[in-house]
Every structure is written in C-alpha cells, then in structure tokens.
Amino acid sequence: MNYDLKPKEYEIMKFIWENTSEGVTFGEIHDYVNSLGKKESRQRVNCFIQTLLYKGVLNATGAERHKIYIPAISRKKYEQLVATQLLNQLYGGSLKTFVSALSGGDTLSDEDAKELRKLLRERNKKK
C-alpha cells in the first residue's frame, strides 16, 4: 500500500474520516472539494477518488452510480504509518535522532519536552 497522499488527497481523506459513520457519496466529496476554493470538475474529483482506492486508503461499496466511500484505515492508523515511514526515511528509525534534530533548532518548547517525558513514562508503565 502506498500511503504517500498528495495534499488534495489528504484533504479528501480528512473529510471522509470526519464523516465515517455512514460513509460519503461522490456528490458529497465533490461538493466538499469545491468548497475548499478552487473548483474541480467531477472527472478530476473522480481521479482523486480512484487514486485513493488504488493506494488502499479508501474503500467503496454499492452499485456503480450509488457508491458509498469509507476509509480503509483509520486516521490514527494512517498518521502512525506516515510517522513511522518519516522516522525511518529521515532518521534511520531512531526516535533519539529525531528528537535531537527537533530540539537542536530550539523548536522543542519546554511544554513539548514535558509532554514527551510524560508519553515515555506512560509507555514504560505499559511494559
């Protein structure tokens, strides 16, 4: 599966994740995409949907003209997969190297550092 979503694909998935209780129709997706500003043709929106189906992050149910689109994976799972991919690609899978890079530029606030310590303590308690 290819979880490398382009910005417009991610916007569509955010909309679908927020409306997962019953899924969404093509018309709802098209209306949402057009509400973002730039008007997109039905054909262009269909291309985005087909790409999301191909990448394995979206599923479709129902008859051809009455499909309902639902996420194939949760937003949380998607974010975990992307974060892991980024960590592996840029930092060799080392969280220590990532945090060092993050804090080396003074972008890690005291509050963020405190939150990280809390997360690590909670993780250690689970073991």
Side-chain angles (χ1 to χ4, degrees):
M1 291 185 192
N2 177 1
Y3 296 113
D4 182 25
L5 300 184
K6 305 289 186 251
K8 188 73 77 166
E9 295 166 354
Y10 184 68
E11 282 299 320
I12 291 170
M13 284 307 300
K14 283 192 328 188
F15 172 72
I16 294 169
W17 281 317
E18 291 167 4
N19 295 284
T20 57
S21 60
E22 297 177 23
V24 295
T25 64
F26 175 85
E28 291 170 321
I29 296 169
H30 185 252
D31 290 345
Y32 173 74
V33 169
N34 285 332
S35 76
L36 297 175
K38 182 182 175 199
K39 301 295 180 198
E40 298 285 0
S41 70
R42 293 179 67 78
Q43 183 177 1
R44 181 103 168 106
V45 172
N46 188 51
C47 286
F48 290 128
I49 291 171
Q50 294 307 311
T51 301
L52 292 167
L53 290 166
Y54 176 76
K55 289 182 176 184
V57 294
L58 188 64
N59 285 330
T61 61
E64 190 60 37
R65 291 212 173 256
H66 302 285
K67 287 191 190 275
I68 300 294
Y69 297 96
I70 56 173
I73 63 171
S74 70
R75 185 174 185 170
K76 182 177 181 176
K77 181 69 174 170
Y78 170 77
E79 290 171 351
Q80 288 172 336
L81 290 167
V82 170
T84 300
Q85 182 180 352
L86 181 69
L87 187 66
N88 288 334
Q89 184 178 11
L90 297 179
Y91 302 98
S94 170
L95 187 56
K96 177 183 169 188
T97 304
F98 171 73
V99 172
S100 293
L102 191 63
S103 62
D106 293 330
T107 56
L108 188 65
S109 69
D110 289 341
E111 185 65 30
D112 288 340
K114 188 174 167 181
E115 235 358 83
L116 281 170
R117 283 191 292 277
K118 180 181 173 189
L119 286 170
L120 290 171
R121 276 194 303 275
E122 288 172 3
R123 182 181 180 278
N124 286 335
K125 287 179 185 177
K126 290 180 183 178
K127 286 186 172 185

